[in-house]
Amino acid sequence: MKYLFQILVLALALLIWQAFSGDLVPSVKEVLGAFFELAKSGKLLLGVTDSLIRYVIGLAIGSLVAVLVGLIFGLFPKFANAFEPLIGLLRPISPIAWIPLIVLAFGIGDKPTIFIIAYAIFFPMLLITINAVKSVPNELVLAARGFGASKMQIITGVIMPASLFSIISGLKLAASLAWINLVVGEMVGAQSGLGYLIIDARNQLRIDSVMAVIFVIGVIGIVINFIFSLIERYAGERLGR
């Protein structure tokens, strides 16, 4: 029954879209035609491939650096306090605000987009990791000390495993943020990718192609969220959550 309602909602959305289509808003048929045109020309496959490569690199860099720094800050609160004003200053700044400086620093290509992705997910993952470390029950640490575990053994054998599920859950959020900011980055500093395809189609006044690419972005976003949901579920089962 759940899937029936979901199908009905999608069908209703398509009907409303078709009803309001006209000179400014392309119809469903026109958007599908533009989709197959992009697919046939090979532009869509190239755009998806380039976007996914940038996405994976940016997500990996941003997540790894954030988790590493988050573990250090979580384990050494006094050290973290020294950086609190700097983090508080940088965290509210949108990655988009850095675009002029990023383009000057890295030029046009993959690097600006990768930097935007990494920056966008760094602070959420940093805070999630810090909270995960702080949330480890003190009883576990005391028990490990009681058995004669060294500080390094407590970190690797108690704190990191106990924090792992929260960090993996945070990656689900980071993955979505990374995909959103990927498209933004490609609209500015890239010469390929899905974001670039949107700008290129807009410059040619091909609104049908713009909407076709937007649809592809949405579908890939759903797939990414599904993949990370499976990873989260698997981690929960393995870690007893």
Side-chain angles (χ1 to χ4, degrees):
M1 186 62 70
K2 179 182 73 171
Y3 296 110
L4 176 61
F5 285 128
Q6 291 175 347
I7 293 171
L8 288 174
V9 169
L10 288 174
L12 179 61
L14 290 174
L15 286 173
I16 294 173
W17 174 5
Q18 187 65 35
F20 283 93
S21 63
D23 294 334
L24 296 178
V25 180
S27 65
V28 177
K29 182 179 179 181
E30 290 171 333
V31 172
L32 284 174
F35 170 80
F36 288 116
E37 180 183 335
L38 287 168
K40 187 177 180 181
S41 67
K43 292 181 180 179
L44 187 60
L45 178 60
L46 178 63
V48 170
T49 302
D50 289 348
S51 290
L52 288 176
I53 291 173
R54 296 182 187 116
Y55 171 78
V56 171
I57 295 173
L59 179 62
I61 293 174
S63 298
L64 288 173
V65 174
V67 170
L68 178 61
V69 176
L71 287 172
I72 294 172
F73 282 4
L75 292 169
F76 305 100
K78 292 182 179 179
F79 181 69
N81 287 337
F83 287 86
E84 191 172 335
L86 179 62
I87 293 173
L89 174 67
L90 296 176
R91 187 164 58 90
I93 301 175
S94 168
I96 302 172
W98 295 103
I99 286 176
L101 295 176
I102 293 169
V103 173
L104 286 175
F106 297 113
I108 295 175
D110 295 339
K111 291 180 181 179
T113 304
I114 292 171
F115 179 88
I116 287 172
I117 295 170
Y119 182 90
I121 67 173
F122 174 79
F123 293 105
M125 281 303 302
L126 175 66
L127 296 178
I128 288 170
T129 304
I130 292 173
N131 290 331
V133 173
K134 289 182 176 179
S135 299
V136 175
N138 195 44
E139 294 79 4
L140 295 178
V141 177
L142 292 176
R145 286 177 182 169
F147 283 104
S150 65
K151 191 167 186 178
M152 183 57 65
Q153 287 174 328
I154 291 173
I155 292 172
T156 58
V158 177
I159 294 176
M160 291 183 66
S163 306
L164 187 57
F165 180 74
S166 296
I167 294 172
I168 292 174
S169 297
L171 280 174
K172 184 179 175 181
L173 170 64
S176 297
L177 288 174
W179 186 246
I180 292 169
N181 285 276
L182 162 83
V183 177
V184 174
E186 288 182 337
M187 286 182 172
V188 178
Q191 295 298 306
S192 63
L194 294 172
Y196 171 79
L197 285 179
I198 290 177
I199 296 300
D200 186 54
R202 183 206 64 182
N203 293 338
Q204 298 178 42
L205 300 179
R206 290 292 306 273
I207 306 302
D208 53 346
S209 295
V210 170
M211 295 188 69
V213 177
I214 290 173
F215 174 77
V216 171
I217 291 169
V219 170
I220 295 176
I222 292 173
V223 173
I224 288 172
N225 185 71
F226 176 74
I227 291 171
F228 278 88
S229 294
L230 290 179
I231 294 172
E232 182 184 29
R233 188 183 308 167
Y234 176 76
E237 292 173 355
R238 295 287 293 179
L239 297 172
R241 296 299 181 94

Short mmCIF file of all heavy atoms in Angstrom, two decimals, residues 50-52 54-56 58-59 62 91-99 102 109-124 172-190 192-196 198 217 221 224:
data_model
loop_
_atom_site.label_atom_id
_atom_site.label_comp_id
_atom_site.label_asym_id
_atom_site.label_seq_id
_atom_site.Cartn_x
_atom_site.Cartn_y
_atom_site.Cartn_z
N ASP A 50 32.30 12.10 -14.89
CA ASP A 50 33.16 13.16 -14.33
C ASP A 50 32.65 13.64 -12.98
O ASP A 50 33.42 13.89 -12.05
CB ASP A 50 33.25 14.33 -15.31
CG ASP A 50 34.07 14.01 -16.54
OD1 ASP A 50 34.75 12.97 -16.53
OD2 ASP A 50 34.03 14.78 -17.51
N SER A 51 31.33 13.77 -12.87
CA SER A 51 30.74 14.23 -11.61
C SER A 51 30.99 13.22 -10.49
O SER A 51 31.34 13.60 -9.36
CB SER A 51 29.24 14.47 -11.77
OG SER A 51 28.98 15.61 -12.56
N LEU A 52 30.80 11.94 -10.78
CA LEU A 52 30.99 10.92 -9.75
C LEU A 52 32.44 10.82 -9.30
O LEU A 52 32.72 10.58 -8.12
CB LEU A 52 30.50 9.56 -10.26
CG LEU A 52 28.99 9.40 -10.38
CD1 LEU A 52 28.63 8.05 -10.98
CD2 LEU A 52 28.31 9.55 -9.01
N ARG A 54 34.65 13.34 -9.23
CA ARG A 54 34.87 14.49 -8.33
C ARG A 54 34.17 14.27 -7.00
O ARG A 54 34.70 14.62 -5.94
CB ARG A 54 34.35 15.77 -8.99
CG ARG A 54 35.09 16.16 -10.27
CD ARG A 54 34.55 17.47 -10.81
NE ARG A 54 35.14 17.77 -12.12
CZ ARG A 54 34.46 17.83 -13.25
NH1 ARG A 54 33.14 17.64 -13.24
NH2 ARG A 54 35.07 18.10 -14.38
N TYR A 55 32.99 13.70 -7.07
CA TYR A 55 32.18 13.46 -5.87
C TYR A 55 32.91 12.53 -4.91
O TYR A 55 33.02 12.82 -3.71
CB TYR A 55 30.84 12.87 -6.28
CG TYR A 55 30.00 12.37 -5.13
CD1 TYR A 55 29.29 13.26 -4.33
CD2 TYR A 55 29.91 11.00 -4.85
CE1 TYR A 55 28.53 12.79 -3.27
CE2 TYR A 55 29.14 10.55 -3.80
CZ TYR A 55 28.45 11.44 -3.02
OH TYR A 55 27.69 10.97 -1.97
N VAL A 56 33.40 11.41 -5.41
CA VAL A 56 34.07 10.42 -4.57
C VAL A 56 35.34 11.01 -3.96
O VAL A 56 35.60 10.84 -2.76
CB VAL A 56 34.39 9.15 -5.38
CG1 VAL A 56 35.28 8.21 -4.57
CG2 VAL A 56 33.11 8.43 -5.79
N GLY A 58 36.12 14.25 -3.46
CA GLY A 58 35.79 15.30 -2.49
C GLY A 58 35.21 14.73 -1.21
O GLY A 58 35.56 15.17 -0.10
N LEU A 59 34.33 13.73 -1.34
CA LEU A 59 33.73 13.10 -0.16
C LEU A 59 34.79 12.39 0.67
O LEU A 59 34.78 12.48 1.91
CB LEU A 59 32.65 12.10 -0.60
CG LEU A 59 31.93 11.33 0.50
CD1 LEU A 59 31.17 12.27 1.42
CD2 LEU A 59 30.98 10.29 -0.10
N GLY A 62 37.19 15.18 2.36
CA GLY A 62 36.49 15.91 3.41
C GLY A 62 36.17 15.04 4.61
O GLY A 62 36.36 15.46 5.76
N ARG A 91 32.58 27.93 10.08
CA ARG A 91 31.48 26.97 9.88
C ARG A 91 30.24 27.57 9.24
O ARG A 91 29.63 26.92 8.38
CB ARG A 91 31.13 26.30 11.22
CG ARG A 91 30.13 25.18 11.12
CD ARG A 91 30.15 24.34 12.39
NE ARG A 91 29.86 25.13 13.58
CZ ARG A 91 28.64 25.32 14.07
NH1 ARG A 91 27.59 24.77 13.46
NH2 ARG A 91 28.46 26.03 15.16
N PRO A 92 29.82 28.79 9.59
CA PRO A 92 28.59 29.31 8.97
C PRO A 92 28.76 29.82 7.53
O PRO A 92 27.78 30.16 6.88
CB PRO A 92 28.20 30.49 9.89
CG PRO A 92 29.07 30.38 11.09
CD PRO A 92 30.30 29.68 10.66
N ILE A 93 30.00 29.91 7.07
CA ILE A 93 30.24 30.45 5.74
C ILE A 93 29.93 29.39 4.68
O ILE A 93 30.49 28.29 4.71
CB ILE A 93 31.70 30.92 5.60
CG1 ILE A 93 32.02 32.00 6.65
CG2 ILE A 93 31.96 31.47 4.20
CD1 ILE A 93 33.47 32.43 6.66
N SER A 94 29.07 29.74 3.75
CA SER A 94 28.72 28.81 2.67
C SER A 94 29.92 28.59 1.76
O SER A 94 30.69 29.53 1.49
CB SER A 94 27.55 29.38 1.86
OG SER A 94 27.37 28.65 0.67
N PRO A 95 30.10 27.37 1.26
CA PRO A 95 31.18 27.12 0.29
C PRO A 95 31.09 28.03 -0.94
O PRO A 95 32.12 28.36 -1.55
CB PRO A 95 30.98 25.65 -0.09
CG PRO A 95 30.22 25.06 1.03
CD PRO A 95 29.34 26.15 1.56
N ILE A 96 29.88 28.43 -1.29
CA ILE A 96 29.68 29.28 -2.46
C ILE A 96 30.40 30.62 -2.28
O ILE A 96 30.89 31.20 -3.25
CB ILE A 96 28.18 29.51 -2.71
CG1 ILE A 96 27.48 28.16 -2.91
CG2 ILE A 96 27.95 30.39 -3.93
CD1 ILE A 96 25.97 28.27 -2.98
N ALA A 97 30.47 31.10 -1.03
CA ALA A 97 31.11 32.39 -0.78
C ALA A 97 32.60 32.36 -1.10
O ALA A 97 33.21 33.40 -1.38
CB ALA A 97 30.91 32.79 0.69
N TRP A 98 33.20 31.17 -1.08
CA TRP A 98 34.62 31.04 -1.33
C TRP A 98 34.95 30.89 -2.82
O TRP A 98 36.13 30.87 -3.19
CB TRP A 98 35.18 29.82 -0.60
CG TRP A 98 35.14 29.93 0.89
CD1 TRP A 98 34.27 29.32 1.73
CD2 TRP A 98 36.02 30.69 1.73
NE1 TRP A 98 34.53 29.64 3.05
CE2 TRP A 98 35.60 30.49 3.07
CE3 TRP A 98 37.12 31.53 1.47
CZ2 TRP A 98 36.25 31.08 4.15
CZ3 TRP A 98 37.76 32.12 2.56
CH2 TRP A 98 37.33 31.90 3.87
N ILE A 99 33.93 30.79 -3.66
CA ILE A 99 34.16 30.48 -5.07
C ILE A 99 35.12 31.44 -5.76
O ILE A 99 36.04 30.99 -6.48
CB ILE A 99 32.81 30.38 -5.82
CG1 ILE A 99 32.12 29.06 -5.45
CG2 ILE A 99 33.02 30.46 -7.34
CD1 ILE A 99 30.74 28.89 -6.06
N ILE A 102 38.52 30.54 -4.62
CA ILE A 102 38.86 29.18 -5.03
C ILE A 102 39.29 29.14 -6.49
O ILE A 102 40.27 28.49 -6.85
CB ILE A 102 37.66 28.23 -4.79
CG1 ILE A 102 37.38 28.08 -3.29
CG2 ILE A 102 37.93 26.86 -5.40
CD1 ILE A 102 36.07 27.38 -2.99
N GLY A 109 38.64 23.74 -13.42
CA GLY A 109 38.87 22.31 -13.56
C GLY A 109 38.27 21.53 -12.41
O GLY A 109 37.26 21.94 -11.83
N ASP A 110 38.92 20.43 -12.04
CA ASP A 110 38.39 19.56 -11.00
C ASP A 110 38.62 20.10 -9.59
O ASP A 110 37.78 19.93 -8.70
CB ASP A 110 39.04 18.18 -11.10
CG ASP A 110 38.67 17.47 -12.39
OD1 ASP A 110 37.66 17.83 -13.00
OD2 ASP A 110 39.41 16.53 -12.77
N LYS A 111 39.74 20.76 -9.36
CA LYS A 111 40.14 21.14 -8.01
C LYS A 111 39.14 22.05 -7.30
O LYS A 111 38.85 21.83 -6.12
CB LYS A 111 41.53 21.78 -8.03
CG LYS A 111 42.64 20.81 -8.37
CD LYS A 111 44.00 21.50 -8.39
CE LYS A 111 45.11 20.52 -8.75
NZ LYS A 111 46.43 21.18 -8.81
N PRO A 112 38.59 23.10 -7.97
CA PRO A 112 37.61 23.94 -7.26
C PRO A 112 36.39 23.15 -6.77
O PRO A 112 35.94 23.33 -5.64
CB PRO A 112 37.21 24.97 -8.32
CG PRO A 112 38.35 25.04 -9.25
CD PRO A 112 38.89 23.64 -9.31
N THR A 113 35.88 22.26 -7.62
CA THR A 113 34.71 21.46 -7.23
C THR A 113 35.04 20.52 -6.09
O THR A 113 34.26 20.38 -5.13
CB THR A 113 34.21 20.65 -8.44
OG1 THR A 113 33.93 21.53 -9.52
CG2 THR A 113 32.94 19.89 -8.07
N ILE A 114 36.19 19.87 -6.15
CA ILE A 114 36.59 18.95 -5.08
C ILE A 114 36.76 19.70 -3.77
O ILE A 114 36.35 19.23 -2.70
CB ILE A 114 37.90 18.23 -5.47
CG1 ILE A 114 37.64 17.26 -6.65
CG2 ILE A 114 38.48 17.48 -4.28
CD1 ILE A 114 38.89 16.66 -7.23
N PHE A 115 37.35 20.89 -3.83
CA PHE A 115 37.52 21.70 -2.62
C PHE A 115 36.17 22.09 -2.02
O PHE A 115 35.98 22.02 -0.80
CB PHE A 115 38.33 22.97 -2.94
CG PHE A 115 38.52 23.87 -1.75
CD1 PHE A 115 39.59 23.69 -0.89
CD2 PHE A 115 37.62 24.89 -1.48
CE1 PHE A 115 39.76 24.51 0.22
CE2 PHE A 115 37.77 25.72 -0.38
CZ PHE A 115 38.85 25.53 0.48
N ILE A 116 35.23 22.50 -2.87
CA ILE A 116 33.90 22.91 -2.40
C ILE A 116 33.20 21.73 -1.71
O ILE A 116 32.58 21.88 -0.65
CB ILE A 116 33.06 23.44 -3.57
CG1 ILE A 116 33.58 24.82 -3.99
CG2 ILE A 116 31.57 23.53 -3.19
CD1 ILE A 116 32.94 25.36 -5.26
N ILE A 117 33.29 20.54 -2.29
CA ILE A 117 32.68 19.36 -1.68
C ILE A 117 33.31 19.07 -0.33
O ILE A 117 32.61 18.87 0.67
CB ILE A 117 32.84 18.14 -2.61
CG1 ILE A 117 32.06 18.32 -3.90
CG2 ILE A 117 32.38 16.86 -1.90
CD1 ILE A 117 32.36 17.27 -4.94
N ALA A 118 34.65 19.04 -0.29
CA ALA A 118 35.35 18.73 0.95
C ALA A 118 35.04 19.75 2.04
O ALA A 118 34.82 19.40 3.20
CB ALA A 118 36.86 18.67 0.69
N TYR A 119 35.00 21.02 1.67
CA TYR A 119 34.72 22.09 2.63
C TYR A 119 33.29 21.97 3.15
O TYR A 119 33.03 22.16 4.34
CB TYR A 119 34.93 23.45 1.96
CG TYR A 119 34.72 24.63 2.88
CD1 TYR A 119 35.77 25.16 3.61
CD2 TYR A 119 33.46 25.22 3.01
CE1 TYR A 119 35.57 26.24 4.46
CE2 TYR A 119 33.26 26.30 3.85
CZ TYR A 119 34.31 26.82 4.56
OH TYR A 119 34.11 27.89 5.41
N ALA A 120 32.36 21.65 2.25
CA ALA A 120 30.94 21.59 2.62
C ALA A 120 30.66 20.51 3.65
O ALA A 120 29.79 20.68 4.52
CB ALA A 120 30.08 21.37 1.38
N ILE A 121 31.38 19.40 3.57
CA ILE A 121 31.09 18.29 4.48
C ILE A 121 32.03 18.25 5.67
O ILE A 121 31.79 17.50 6.62
CB ILE A 121 31.14 16.93 3.74
CG1 ILE A 121 32.58 16.61 3.29
CG2 ILE A 121 30.18 16.91 2.58
CD1 ILE A 121 32.74 15.23 2.72
N PHE A 122 33.09 19.05 5.63
CA PHE A 122 34.09 18.98 6.70
C PHE A 122 33.49 19.31 8.06
O PHE A 122 33.65 18.54 9.03
CB PHE A 122 35.26 19.93 6.40
CG PHE A 122 36.25 20.03 7.53
CD1 PHE A 122 37.19 19.03 7.72
CD2 PHE A 122 36.22 21.11 8.41
CE1 PHE A 122 38.11 19.11 8.78
CE2 PHE A 122 37.13 21.19 9.46
CZ PHE A 122 38.07 20.19 9.65
N PHE A 123 32.80 20.43 8.17
CA PHE A 123 32.32 20.88 9.48
C PHE A 123 31.21 19.99 10.04
O PHE A 123 31.23 19.67 11.24
CB PHE A 123 31.89 22.34 9.41
CG PHE A 123 33.04 23.28 9.17
CD1 PHE A 123 33.24 23.86 7.93
CD2 PHE A 123 33.95 23.56 10.18
CE1 PHE A 123 34.31 24.71 7.70
CE2 PHE A 123 35.03 24.40 9.97
CZ PHE A 123 35.22 24.99 8.72
N PRO A 124 30.22 19.57 9.24
CA PRO A 124 29.24 18.61 9.79
C PRO A 124 29.88 17.32 10.29
O PRO A 124 29.55 16.84 11.38
CB PRO A 124 28.29 18.35 8.60
CG PRO A 124 28.41 19.55 7.75
CD PRO A 124 29.84 19.99 7.88
N LYS A 172 26.13 9.44 5.94
CA LYS A 172 24.91 9.50 5.14
C LYS A 172 24.52 10.96 4.87
O LYS A 172 24.16 11.32 3.75
CB LYS A 172 23.79 8.77 5.86
CG LYS A 172 22.49 8.68 5.08
CD LYS A 172 21.45 7.90 5.89
CE LYS A 172 20.11 7.90 5.19
NZ LYS A 172 19.08 7.17 5.98
N LEU A 173 24.61 11.79 5.91
CA LEU A 173 24.35 13.22 5.74
C LEU A 173 25.41 13.87 4.88
O LEU A 173 25.10 14.66 3.98
CB LEU A 173 24.31 13.89 7.12
CG LEU A 173 24.29 15.43 7.14
CD1 LEU A 173 23.01 15.95 6.50
CD2 LEU A 173 24.43 15.95 8.56
N ALA A 174 26.68 13.52 5.13
CA ALA A 174 27.78 14.10 4.35
C ALA A 174 27.66 13.76 2.88
O ALA A 174 27.96 14.58 2.01
CB ALA A 174 29.11 13.60 4.90
N ALA A 175 27.21 12.53 2.58
CA ALA A 175 27.07 12.10 1.18
C ALA A 175 26.06 12.96 0.44
O ALA A 175 26.27 13.33 -0.73
CB ALA A 175 26.67 10.63 1.13
N SER A 176 24.95 13.29 1.10
CA SER A 176 23.93 14.13 0.47
C SER A 176 24.44 15.55 0.29
O SER A 176 24.25 16.16 -0.78
CB SER A 176 22.65 14.14 1.32
OG SER A 176 22.09 12.84 1.40
N LEU A 177 25.10 16.10 1.32
CA LEU A 177 25.65 17.45 1.21
C LEU A 177 26.71 17.52 0.10
O LEU A 177 26.78 18.51 -0.64
CB LEU A 177 26.28 17.87 2.55
CG LEU A 177 25.32 18.19 3.69
CD1 LEU A 177 26.10 18.43 4.98
CD2 LEU A 177 24.46 19.40 3.35
N ALA A 178 27.51 16.48 -0.01
CA ALA A 178 28.55 16.46 -1.03
C ALA A 178 27.94 16.49 -2.43
O ALA A 178 28.43 17.20 -3.32
CB ALA A 178 29.42 15.20 -0.86
N TRP A 179 26.87 15.73 -2.63
CA TRP A 179 26.24 15.69 -3.96
C TRP A 179 25.61 17.04 -4.32
O TRP A 179 25.71 17.50 -5.46
CB TRP A 179 25.20 14.58 -4.00
CG TRP A 179 24.60 14.37 -5.36
CD1 TRP A 179 23.31 14.59 -5.75
CD2 TRP A 179 25.29 13.89 -6.53
NE1 TRP A 179 23.15 14.28 -7.08
CE2 TRP A 179 24.35 13.84 -7.58
CE3 TRP A 179 26.61 13.50 -6.78
CZ2 TRP A 179 24.68 13.43 -8.86
CZ3 TRP A 179 26.95 13.09 -8.06
CH2 TRP A 179 25.99 13.06 -9.08
N ILE A 180 24.99 17.69 -3.34
CA ILE A 180 24.38 19.00 -3.58
C ILE A 180 25.45 20.01 -3.97
O ILE A 180 25.30 20.77 -4.94
CB ILE A 180 23.62 19.48 -2.33
CG1 ILE A 180 22.40 18.60 -2.08
CG2 ILE A 180 23.19 20.94 -2.47
CD1 ILE A 180 21.74 18.83 -0.73
N ASN A 181 26.54 20.04 -3.22
CA ASN A 181 27.58 21.04 -3.46
C ASN A 181 28.44 20.71 -4.68
O ASN A 181 29.08 21.60 -5.24
CB ASN A 181 28.46 21.18 -2.21
CG ASN A 181 27.76 21.96 -1.12
OD1 ASN A 181 27.77 23.18 -1.11
ND2 ASN A 181 27.13 21.26 -0.19
N LEU A 182 28.46 19.44 -5.07
CA LEU A 182 29.14 19.07 -6.32
C LEU A 182 28.56 19.84 -7.49
O LEU A 182 29.29 20.44 -8.29
CB LEU A 182 29.00 17.57 -6.57
CG LEU A 182 29.27 17.11 -8.00
CD1 LEU A 182 30.75 16.95 -8.23
CD2 LEU A 182 28.54 15.83 -8.32
N VAL A 183 27.25 19.84 -7.61
CA VAL A 183 26.57 20.50 -8.73
C VAL A 183 26.86 22.00 -8.70
O VAL A 183 27.11 22.62 -9.74
CB VAL A 183 25.06 20.24 -8.68
CG1 VAL A 183 24.34 20.98 -9.79
CG2 VAL A 183 24.79 18.74 -8.78
N VAL A 184 26.86 22.59 -7.50
CA VAL A 184 27.16 24.02 -7.37
C VAL A 184 28.57 24.31 -7.86
O VAL A 184 28.80 25.27 -8.61
CB VAL A 184 27.01 24.47 -5.91
CG1 VAL A 184 27.47 25.92 -5.73
CG2 VAL A 184 25.56 24.32 -5.45
N GLY A 185 29.52 23.48 -7.44
CA GLY A 185 30.91 23.68 -7.85
C GLY A 185 31.10 23.55 -9.35
O GLY A 185 31.85 24.32 -9.96
N GLU A 186 30.42 22.58 -9.95
CA GLU A 186 30.56 22.37 -11.38
C GLU A 186 29.94 23.48 -12.21
O GLU A 186 30.31 23.69 -13.36
CB GLU A 186 29.95 21.03 -11.77
CG GLU A 186 30.76 19.84 -11.30
CD GLU A 186 30.17 18.51 -11.74
OE1 GLU A 186 28.95 18.46 -12.02
OE2 GLU A 186 30.92 17.52 -11.79
N MET A 187 29.00 24.19 -11.63
CA MET A 187 28.38 25.31 -12.35
C MET A 187 29.33 26.50 -12.47
O MET A 187 29.09 27.39 -13.28
CB MET A 187 27.10 25.75 -11.63
CG MET A 187 25.93 24.81 -11.79
SD MET A 187 24.46 25.45 -10.97
CE MET A 187 23.22 24.27 -11.54
N VAL A 188 30.37 26.48 -11.66
CA VAL A 188 31.27 27.64 -11.63
C VAL A 188 32.64 27.33 -12.22
O VAL A 188 33.13 28.04 -13.10
CB VAL A 188 31.43 28.17 -10.18
CG1 VAL A 188 32.39 29.35 -10.13
CG2 VAL A 188 30.08 28.57 -9.62
N GLY A 189 33.26 26.26 -11.74
CA GLY A 189 34.67 26.07 -12.08
C GLY A 189 34.99 24.88 -12.94
O GLY A 189 36.16 24.57 -13.14
N ALA A 190 33.98 24.16 -13.45
CA ALA A 190 34.26 22.94 -14.21
C ALA A 190 33.91 23.12 -15.68
O ALA A 190 33.10 23.97 -16.06
CB ALA A 190 33.46 21.77 -13.63
N SER A 192 33.13 20.23 -17.39
CA SER A 192 32.40 19.00 -17.65
C SER A 192 31.60 18.66 -16.41
O SER A 192 31.72 19.33 -15.37
CB SER A 192 33.36 17.85 -18.00
OG SER A 192 34.21 17.56 -16.90
N GLY A 193 30.78 17.62 -16.48
CA GLY A 193 29.98 17.23 -15.33
C GLY A 193 28.53 17.68 -15.47
O GLY A 193 28.17 18.42 -16.39
N LEU A 194 27.70 17.24 -14.54
CA LEU A 194 26.26 17.52 -14.62
C LEU A 194 25.96 19.00 -14.40
O LEU A 194 25.08 19.57 -15.04
CB LEU A 194 25.53 16.67 -13.58
CG LEU A 194 25.58 15.16 -13.83
CD1 LEU A 194 25.00 14.39 -12.65
CD2 LEU A 194 24.84 14.80 -15.11
N GLY A 195 26.68 19.63 -13.46
CA GLY A 195 26.49 21.06 -13.25
C GLY A 195 26.85 21.87 -14.47
O GLY A 195 26.15 22.83 -14.84
N TYR A 196 27.93 21.47 -15.12
CA TYR A 196 28.33 22.15 -16.35
C TYR A 196 27.29 21.95 -17.46
O TYR A 196 27.00 22.88 -18.22
CB TYR A 196 29.69 21.62 -16.82
CG TYR A 196 30.09 22.11 -18.19
CD1 TYR A 196 30.60 23.38 -18.37
CD2 TYR A 196 29.94 21.29 -19.31
CE1 TYR A 196 30.95 23.85 -19.63
CE2 TYR A 196 30.29 21.74 -20.57
CZ TYR A 196 30.79 23.01 -20.73
OH TYR A 196 31.13 23.46 -21.99
N ILE A 198 24.13 21.70 -17.09
CA ILE A 198 23.01 22.61 -16.83
C ILE A 198 23.32 24.01 -17.34
O ILE A 198 22.49 24.64 -18.01
CB ILE A 198 22.69 22.63 -15.32
CG1 ILE A 198 22.08 21.30 -14.89
CG2 ILE A 198 21.74 23.79 -14.98
CD1 ILE A 198 21.79 21.21 -13.41
N ILE A 217 20.20 14.29 -11.82
CA ILE A 217 20.83 14.62 -10.55
C ILE A 217 19.99 14.10 -9.38
O ILE A 217 20.51 13.52 -8.42
CB ILE A 217 21.03 16.15 -10.42
CG1 ILE A 217 22.10 16.62 -11.41
CG2 ILE A 217 21.43 16.53 -8.99
CD1 ILE A 217 22.19 18.12 -11.55
N GLY A 221 20.99 11.18 -6.72
CA GLY A 221 20.93 11.51 -5.30
C GLY A 221 20.15 10.47 -4.51
O GLY A 221 20.54 10.10 -3.39
N ILE A 224 22.39 7.40 -4.19
CA ILE A 224 23.44 7.63 -3.19
C ILE A 224 22.88 7.47 -1.78
O ILE A 224 23.48 6.82 -0.92
CB ILE A 224 24.06 9.03 -3.38
CG1 ILE A 224 24.92 9.06 -4.64
CG2 ILE A 224 24.90 9.42 -2.16
CD1 ILE A 224 25.41 10.43 -5.02
#
